[in-house]
Amino acid sequence: MTTITIVQGDITRQSVDAIVNAANSSLLGGGGVDGAIHRRGGPAILADCRRLRASHYGKGLATGRAVATTAGELDARWVIHTVGPVYQASGSDPSLLASCYRASLEVADELGARTVAFPAVSTGVYGWPMADAARIAVEAVRAARTAVEEVRFVLFDDKAYQVFAELIH
Ligand code: AR6
């Protein structure tokens, strides 16, 4: 049974087995959560990402997929990188966003992670409206068959926290 919890704050300050990164397909860093994770986690994460690019992920990580690296100096064992879809007003595929959560939990299961922190994937630079993204995220986690005991959504601001709080309480 997976328990869903929510906290407001900075995902890089969490103590969990795995921290999920809202990455881009290059796996080589960026702004938002991605920038914060690489800054606080240190160069070991980028070194692992470069190794992935040099081996099985020569073309990068596809949208909706997930892959793990070390967590460097973060208080976690792994960072699970996933690539959310870019929101388009003309139509965006919610199944790709749901897939980020499902794929990340599959990687967590392979690693044996029991506590996993997620940001609200795609709701920053990638523009997905928070209420819709939150519903997709919570539904995807509830539907997942996983041995992860705690999924912790870490929401950066009060508004995002309130949106998730209404869904899970
Ligand atoms: N802790 C928790 N949440 C955060 C933090 C933090 N430290 N920083 C931002 N957020 P984003 P995306 C929230 O843009 O939309 C990067 O450049 C933020 O308020 O990080 O999936 C990547 O390299 C928002 O609600 O990710 C990609 O190119 C949510 O996290 C691109 O951005 C996600 O915002 C990915 O865009």
Side-chain angles (χ1 to χ4, degrees):
M1 182 69 190
T2 308
T3 303
I4 298 178
T5 59
I6 52 172
V7 300
Q8 190 186 334
D10 180 345
I11 199 164
T12 68
R13 300 286 188 179
Q14 302 300 306
S15 304
V16 282
D17 292 334
I19 291 175
V20 175
N21 182 19
N24 61 64
S25 64
S26 81
L27 289 175
L28 299 178
V33 172
D34 199 6
I37 283 176
H38 282 282
R39 262 196 310 280
R40 193 172 297 279
I45 300 175
L46 187 58
D48 257 10
C49 287
R50 288 193 196 284
R51 276 192 282 275
L52 288 170
R53 287 300 307 274
S55 55
H56 293 318
Y57 295 89
K59 291 181 180 162
L61 183 66
T63 305
R65 305 278 302 274
V67 68
T69 65
T70 176
E73 291 159 36
L74 297 173
D75 191 9
R77 293 177 68 186
W78 303 282
V79 169
I80 298 173
H81 306 262
T82 190
V83 181
V86 177
Y87 185 77
Q88 278 151 342
S90 55
S92 306
D93 185 355
S95 70
L96 277 177
L97 184 54
S99 173
C100 290
Y101 292 92
R102 202 166 46 242
S104 296
L105 290 172
E106 282 169 16
V107 171
D109 282 336
E110 286 163 16
L111 295 166
R114 291 290 179 263
T115 52
V116 180
F118 280 96
V121 177
S122 286
T123 63
V125 174
Y126 283 178
W128 206 295
M130 185 60 75
D132 197 43
R135 182 186 53 75
I136 293 164
V138 170
E139 280 178 9
V141 169
R142 284 189 174 140
R145 296 179 53 176
T146 172
V148 170
E149 289 162 7
E150 182 192 356
V151 166
R152 187 182 307 168
F153 288 107
V154 182
L155 294 322
F156 210 38
D157 58 36
D158 183 58
K159 196 159 160 261
Y161 179 87
Q162 294 305 332
V163 169
F164 274 78
E166 278 189 27
L167 286 170
I168 70 157
H169 291 142

